[in-house]
Amino acid sequence: MPPRKLPRHLVWLESFAAAVESGSIEGAAEHLGVARSVVSEHIRALEETLADGQPLLERGPGRRLQLTARGEKLYEGTQTPLHQLDLKRLRDLASAEASLRLGLNPTLSNFLLAGIAGDVAQADIKLEVSFGGTFELVRQVQTRQLDLAVDFTPLPPHRGVESESLLHLPFVVLAGPGSELSSRHGARRTLHVRDLQGQPFVDWQREDPYGSANSARFAAHDVTVREVSRVQSFLHLFDLLRAYRACAIAPDLRLLRSFPEDLSVWPLREEQPQFVEVVTLRPSGGPGSEAAQLVLGGLRQRLASKRRKIE
């Protein structure tokens, strides 16, 4: 099989990355086994195509090449898998326009995206939003496909990712209208796992860590529930609780937004209370872009304000 031929823009990008890493055109040429003029032509082509002819590299102290602001954004993007690096993606990276690539847990997007979008739009920053599960978000931050992600814990083991906890969420029991649990315990202030004995129950998917946590709770207290459904996201949980007149154990999201009024809610009383955290993830190695810092600041402020109101 003949060797795969890279698209022209990726050949240019290879010369650019080699010049950055070696510190000189000559070093890049030696590393790639081409003439010095070839590396120079590739970098000029990249500047013309992506940056309106503006330089991506400039001479620094000791004549060593160093990145311009545009070049720095572009070089960070070279850590992205090759199939992600089409010309549109590279133009975005090399643009002088401020931008933010944001990844969100689908449930959290329902609670947090409006505030984030408001902050970013007010600052005239281009926002690219994607959604994914925990493993996908961590992988995309590791490979620098995302500048920032917001997710729930628990997180898989990861390298090259910095996380910051924004909020601790205890667990609650939820029940749909007309459920036996609501009729029997509506006046109670808290519930224990034992109170769910024999109840119709909506659990999380087995690969979801919350489902495993529920199984451990029931086993520890010799409780048996009647599982009527499984769910992957809070976005679908409420409808299932209503349809089956069932109950569930879930993180307490009232610090983010109120639960629907027709659902009954009790704090879950546990001998060893468990918590879920809302966390941000970003590539390690620095404070992150100004856009990421802006979003983080807005999130911290809004969540702290909600926490004070609840307390």
Side-chain angles (χ1 to χ4, degrees):
M1 178 182 294
R4 181 168 65 108
K5 186 175 181 180
L6 288 174
R8 183 173 55 176
H9 65 276
L10 294 183
V11 175
W12 300 341
L13 192 66
E14 185 179 37
S15 291
F16 168 73
V20 173
E21 291 162 7
S22 66
S24 68
I25 300 295
E26 294 79 5
E30 182 177 353
H31 172 74
L32 296 173
V34 298
R36 182 186 187 283
S37 59
V38 172
V39 174
S40 296
E41 288 172 8
H42 288 173
I43 294 174
R44 278 197 300 272
L46 207 60
E47 290 171 338
E48 291 293 334
T49 303
L50 304 181
D52 302 318
Q54 296 299 309
L56 299 170
L57 293 166
E58 59 187 8
R59 294 288 181 183
R63 304 289 293 170
R64 184 177 177 83
L65 290 176
Q66 62 184 25
L67 291 162
T68 64
R70 285 189 174 194
E72 188 170 351
K73 286 176 61 182
L74 180 61
Y75 181 68
E76 286 180 0
T78 66
Q79 310 305 310
T80 300
L82 286 180
H83 71 276
Q84 297 281 343
L85 293 176
D86 56 22
L87 272 173
K88 182 178 185 301
R89 173 74 256 154
L90 292 179
R91 285 193 183 97
D92 287 343
L93 288 170
S95 172
E97 178 185 32
S99 63
L100 177 72
R101 296 169 297 167
L102 175 70
L104 287 169
N105 169 286
T107 296
L108 283 172
S109 69
N110 199 41
F111 298 103
L112 300 178
L113 182 55
I116 292 173
D119 290 341
V120 174
Q122 189 173 9
D124 198 25
I125 294 170
K126 179 181 178 180
L127 180 61
E128 299 177 43
V129 184
S130 60
F131 308 98
T134 297
F135 283 92
E136 178 66 12
L137 291 177
V138 168
R139 184 187 67 80
Q140 290 186 344
V141 172
Q142 283 177 318
T143 55
R144 296 182 181 270
Q145 296 175 60
L146 293 175
D147 303 307
L148 187 69
V150 188
D151 198 10
F152 290 117
T153 57
L155 298 172
H158 53 266
R159 294 181 180 177
V161 177
E162 293 183 6
S163 61
E164 176 184 344
S165 176
L166 298 179
L167 195 63
H168 284 69
L169 304 174
F171 282 84
V172 294
V173 177
L174 299 172
S179 65
E180 181 183 347
L181 204 64
S182 296
S183 302
R184 182 186 300 176
H185 299 300
R188 294 269 298 275
R189 298 189 64 181
T190 64
L191 290 185
H192 193 276
V193 173
R194 289 187 292 268
D195 296 315
L196 275 57
Q197 174 66 37
Q199 295 296 311
F201 189 80
V202 179
D203 206 353
W204 305 94
Q205 299 286 7
R206 286 294 176 243
E207 63 271 19
D208 191 302
Y210 304 144
S212 301
N214 286 337
S215 298
R217 289 183 176 103
F218 296 142
H221 295 92
D222 196 24
V223 168
T224 301
V225 296
R226 181 165 57 89
E227 184 183 286
V228 295
S229 182
R230 294 182 186 173
V231 67
Q232 189 67 43
S233 169
F234 243 103
L235 302 179
H236 310 115
L237 175 62
F238 305 146
D239 288 334
L240 294 174
L241 293 177
R242 295 183 183 107
Y244 286 98
R245 298 182 180 180
C247 61
I249 296 175
D252 187 354
L253 296 184
R254 287 176 292 183
L255 279 172
L256 300 175
R257 183 181 296 177
S258 299
F259 286 124
E261 292 183 358
D262 63 334
L263 299 183
S264 298
V265 186
W266 302 267
L268 178 63
R269 191 171 71 255
E270 299 187 89
E271 291 80 6
Q272 295 182 329
Q274 300 183 52
F275 296 89
V276 170
E277 295 176 272
V278 176
V279 295
T280 60
L281 309 169
R282 62 178 185 267
S284 60
S289 67
E290 290 184 9
Q293 290 300 312
L294 173 73
V295 169
L296 278 171
L299 279 172
R300 294 185 192 112
Q301 184 176 6
R302 280 189 293 275
L303 293 179
S305 175
K306 289 178 180 290
R307 189 185 301 113
R308 286 194 296 269
K309 288 179 181 179
I310 294 292
E311 294 171 350

